[in-house]
Amino acid sequence: MNEKDLNYYYIGCKFIIEHYGIEKQKIQLIQELSELITALTKGDLQNIIEEIADVQVMLDQFSIKYPIYDKKIGFIQLEKVKRQLARIKEEKEKQEIPK
């Protein structure tokens, strides 16, 4: 997305969550997550892509509504990735040890 599109997206997400309210959007997020689970189960790549986009839009609405949490979320995301990479490294090291 270019800067104009990103600005439109940001303003749109903010307007949507303010229009419908947090509670309705929580329910909508749950519905979108459910649809993503169904798409993943079926394995239809196009449907998976669409549902990931739907879930991301919902998550972005909450991030935009509560920008104070963005840094905290980013920090937690980074820590989770670091932890998983450490697990993968351990798995690979265990595989390399001859038995």
Side-chain angles (χ1 to χ4, degrees), residues 58-98:
M58 296 306 301
L59 293 174
D60 288 344
Q61 287 178 37
F62 284 92
S63 290
I64 290 166
K65 179 71 175 172
Y66 301 108
I68 193 166
Y69 298 118
D70 273 350
K71 286 183 182 179
K72 187 172 185 174
I73 291 168
F75 175 79
I76 293 168
Q77 287 173 309
L78 179 59
E79 291 303 308
K80 290 182 177 281
V81 168
K82 286 179 182 177
R83 187 173 59 229
Q84 189 60 40
L85 291 172
R87 288 183 189 137
I88 291 169
K89 182 181 177 187
E90 286 177 25
E91 289 173 15
K92 288 188 176 242
E93 288 171 354
K94 285 179 184 177
Q95 291 173 354
E96 293 173 3
I97 298 173

Side-chain angles (χ1 to χ4, degrees), residues 11-22 25 61 64-65:
I11 291 169
C13 283
K14 187 173 182 179
F15 179 83
I16 291 166
I17 198 163
E18 288 175 358
H19 176 78
Y20 289 110
I22 298 298
Q25 291 311 85
Q61 287 178 37
I64 290 166
K65 179 71 175 172

Side-chain angles (χ1 to χ4, degrees), residues 10-72:
Y10 177 89
I11 291 169
C13 283
K14 187 173 182 179
F15 179 83
I16 291 166
I17 198 163
E18 288 175 358
H19 176 78
Y20 289 110
I22 298 298
E23 292 307 313
K24 279 190 176 182
Q25 291 311 85
K26 283 181 187 178
I27 293 167
Q28 187 64 35
L29 174 57
I30 292 166
Q31 180 180 333
E32 298 300 348
L33 289 165
S34 174
E35 290 174 8
L36 176 57
I37 291 167
T38 301
L40 289 166
T41 303
K42 291 180 180 179
D44 177 353
L45 183 57
Q46 183 59 41
N47 189 230
I48 291 169
I49 291 167
E50 289 177 25
E51 297 307 333
I52 288 172
D54 288 344
V55 169
Q56 189 61 59
V57 168
M58 296 306 301
L59 293 174
D60 288 344
Q61 287 178 37
F62 284 92
S63 290
I64 290 166
K65 179 71 175 172
Y66 301 108
I68 193 166
Y69 298 118
D70 273 350
K71 286 183 182 179
K72 187 172 185 174

